[in-house]
Amino acid sequence: MRKVLAILAHQLSLLLYEKVPAVELGRAKKQLQSSLAMSMESRSVEVEDLGRQILVHGRKVGALEMAQKVDAVTAEDLQRVAHKLFGENAKPPTVIGMGAQDIDIWPEVFKTYGVGPSI
């Protein structure tokens, strides 16, 4: 569990302190767009998504508009959101692990990688 926690903290620190490479960001966008399009092949998923869109946006968001919004995401957007969620002014994370291993060392591990608030 400690190893996984260190890997997680390291990956979060990469989001915080390094811009996502353009090639990687492009791949992630295409993956998300493909996943969204393929999920709409199921009627139940489509209806569930419609309900979520109406609750969140007050209207149906079309596939083209959703793809355009995904395309508009920049590496700077990802860093801004990462700082909001995992930066020094963020709330402490909730860390849950399965099994008997204690993970009370998470503040120390996160501090090592410059992730999360100073506790």
Side-chain angles (χ1 to χ4, degrees):
M1 184 58 76
R2 291 171 189 259
K3 197 178 230 181
V4 170
L5 192 58
I7 292 168
L8 171 67
H10 174 69
Q11 292 301 312
L12 292 175
S13 73
L14 291 176
L15 275 175
L16 286 168
Y17 303 114
E18 294 182 18
K19 283 199 166 82
V20 175
V23 172
E24 191 174 335
L25 180 58
R27 251 185 268 150
K29 288 179 181 184
K30 291 298 175 204
Q31 168 65 35
L32 178 56
Q33 289 168 335
S34 297
S35 179
L36 288 169
M38 289 171 60
S39 72
M40 291 301 121
E41 291 180 6
S42 162
R43 271 285 183 227
S44 61
V45 172
E46 190 174 0
V47 170
E48 180 184 326
D49 191 55
L50 175 61
R52 183 176 28 257
Q53 289 177 14
I54 290 172
L55 286 172
V56 172
H57 302 288
R59 64 185 177 84
K60 180 178 181 353
V61 178
L64 179 60
E65 181 183 353
M66 190 73 74
Q68 290 170 337
K69 287 183 180 210
V70 170
D71 272 336
V73 173
T74 66
E76 290 79 12
D77 293 332
L78 293 178
Q79 269 195 312
R80 180 179 45 76
V81 172
H83 277 281
K84 192 174 191 177
L85 295 176
F86 308 113
E88 282 198 24
N89 297 322
K91 293 181 181 177
T94 299
V95 180
I96 300 172
M98 189 170 151
Q101 213 171 10
D102 195 1
I103 53 172
D104 63 349
I105 54 128
W106 71 263
E108 173 188 325
V109 173
F110 277 39
K111 184 178 179 182
T112 299
Y113 289 95
V115 175
S118 300
I119 297 179

